[in-house]
Amino acid sequence: MEVDPLRKLSHQQAGTLGEMLALAKLNTLGLAAYISPEGAPGHDLIVIVHGEAKSIEVKTRQFLERPTEIGRWPVDLSTKGEADFFLFVELDLRTMTPTFYLLSNAQARATNRISAGSGMGNCYPAHVRRLIAPNDFSPLLAGI
């Protein structure tokens, strides 16, 4: 029997998986968090930090061989710009291993570039990787 080669998930599948992996990661760090219902207004995750609810917008992109396959994380600041944090997920499909990049709202805004004509913005992985250490959740963990 021949096995099909590994293929990328749909954007919706990758997004849902990224949100679940992010939720699991936050919970393993001892943070209370939940996923917003699909299609509900607002942000993808809510996490309780120091008794306060903080919103997290999760953007997941996947790769088959190397992270440089990921060209951008689309971020529409006109609709999602009120999030407290943005969590960019690089998902290695060979191992299903996520790498997380947690940015504050200000950091996400600083890395966001508006695409000509569309009005949509993107955060580019090379810039994010220079700014943020992978898997660093210290902004959420400070003082816990």
Side-chain angles (χ1 to χ4, degrees), residues 2 5 16 24 64 103 107 110-111 118 140:
E2 192 173 315
T16 300
L64 294 170
L103 285 77
Q107 289 169 320
T111 63
S118 73
L140 288 173

Side-chain angles (χ1 to χ4, degrees), residues 1 7 30 41 57 66 73 78 82 96 107 109 120 126 134 142:
M1 180 166 108
R7 288 181 274 175
E57 188 63 27
R66 60 186 93 32
W73 282 292
S78 67
E82 298 302 316
M96 297 308 286
Q107 289 169 320
R109 286 180 180 281
M120 288 290 295

